[in-house]
Amino acid sequence: MTASLSGKTALITGSTSGIGLGFAHALAAAGASVMINGFGDAAAIAAEVSALAAKNGGKARHHGADMSRPADIRDMVADCTAHLGTPDILINNAGIQHVAPIDEFPDDKWDAVIAIILSSAFHATKAALPGMKAKGWGRIINTGSMHSLVASPYKSAYNAAKHGIAGLTKTVALEVATQGITVNCICPGYVWTPLVENQIPDTMKARGMTYDQVVQDVLLDKQPQKAFVEVEQLASLMLYLVSDGARAITGSMLSMDGGWTAQ
Ligand code: NAD
């Protein structure tokens, strides 16, 4: 299904952990040069860069851009272009969560969630698109969520940002539809990553529940398959969207949510 990505360059935001890191490994294994981005322990990040480079012949690099800062994002795309080539594949994946009722939602948390999820995708797409247009080929994949399609309470900023990502996906897809560039949005259900694990204490507080009740009655309650989506499953969908066989898929929202949005 997946042609070799040798000669292609992929830039994945928010990829020192979870889904983004899984995407980076899948792309490197397919031969793409990869730039990862995100926060974390410097030694752990260096180890991931080495592991990625072992898969793709040494073409891996990390950039520590803060995705809430537009100048950092422009610098990251320029650094990728200088060291690995212009991004052929851009995955707007960075994200954070904050769980609180809207009348108690801190203003700074609202601003951070909107900046890191939604505005970062605008700035990265704006910076990377000219290189794709010049080559007449590109793949932009936005990590949305089933919260791009439906809502859950206490996640006003996240749901607004993820619904915004849906609109951005469709708009950019239309703008570049004749230029060999596709733009799509993957909408995962709950995936067991630090982002999900870390929201459990606030959800316990907001709903007055125990840890196990949040996992079973809030998280898995929404997924008819009663299982978390796995990063490897999402990576396989991502690789399909990158492939030539998927070139007619653009502006689409692709759910992988264990049946959540069928309800
Ligand atoms: P994660 O917490 O494991 O990874 C998030 C990544 O983003 C990390 O690399 C982190 O360092 C980075 N990051 C956070 N803030 C940043 C910033 N300001 N600048 C740069 N990097 C930053 O989370 P994850 O679950 O892998 O989530 C990845 C994406 O998938 C997010 O957009 C999230 O909303 C989405 N998603 C996750 C789930 C899920 O259940 N885990 C479901 C649907 C969608």
Side-chain angles (χ1 to χ4, degrees):
M1 184 189 287
T2 308
S4 167
L5 297 177
S6 177
K8 301 286 191 210
T9 297
L11 169 55
I12 310 107
T13 73
S15 48
T16 51
S17 166
I19 296 166
L21 184 59
F23 282 0
H25 277 282
L27 288 159
S33 303
V34 289
M35 172 166 274
I36 61 169
N37 154 259
F39 303 146
D41 173 67
I45 291 172
E48 290 295 350
V49 170
S50 297
L52 291 164
K55 288 181 174 162
N56 70 2
K59 293 177 180 158
R61 193 172 167 85
H62 170 257
H63 193 287
D66 181 336
M67 298 306 287
S68 67
R69 299 165 65 118
D72 280 21
I73 296 169
R74 288 189 285 274
D75 187 66
M76 175 183 67
V77 173
D79 188 79
C80 181
T81 300
H83 294 277
L84 299 173
T86 55
D88 302 289
I89 300 160
L90 170 66
I91 304 188
N92 290 309
N93 176 78
I96 59 167
Q97 177 62 281
H98 188 79
V99 179
I102 192 161
D103 47 345
E104 297 169 17
F105 211 95
D107 293 355
D108 62 333
K109 295 290 184 193
W110 170 275
D111 289 343
V113 171
I114 298 293
I116 292 165
I117 291 179
L118 181 56
S119 300
S120 74
F122 161 73
H123 293 293
T125 299
K126 183 177 175 181
L129 207 48
M132 295 181 188
K133 285 182 175 176
K135 291 180 184 169
W137 194 95
R139 294 286 186 269
I140 299 175
I141 297 173
N142 296 321
T143 305
S145 165
M146 67 283 155
H147 287 125
S148 298
L149 305 168
V150 297
S152 299
Y154 313 123
K155 297 181 177 177
S156 52
Y158 187 85
N159 294 345
K162 291 295 188 184
H163 276 67
I165 281 287
L168 182 69
T169 300
K170 294 173 192 175
T171 305
V172 183
L174 294 176
E175 291 185 16
V176 297
T178 60
Q179 297 181 69
I181 303 165
T182 67
V183 189
N184 289 293
C185 183
I186 293 178
C187 301
Y190 282 115
V191 190
W192 190 255
T193 68
L195 182 140
V196 165
E197 202 172 355
N198 293 340
Q199 69 186 266
I200 291 176
D202 283 342
T203 308
M204 288 164 64
K205 197 170 138 200
R207 292 180 182 251
M209 287 179 160
T210 66
Y211 190 97
D212 285 345
Q213 282 173 327
V214 171
V215 171
Q216 293 302 327
D217 301 341
V218 178
L219 303 181
L220 292 181
D221 179 56
K222 302 276 188 155
Q223 289 187 195
Q225 288 188 335
K226 299 296 174 201
F228 287 97
V229 179
E230 293 168 11
V231 170
E232 292 71 22
Q233 296 168 340
L234 291 166
S236 130
L237 176 58
M238 177 277 295
L239 286 175
Y240 172 62
L241 288 174
V242 170
S243 75
D244 198 46
R247 65 188 181 281
I249 301 177
T250 196
S252 290
M253 316 297 294
L254 294 120
S255 299
M256 185 179 275
D257 63 7
W260 178 320
T261 49
Q263 297 168 103

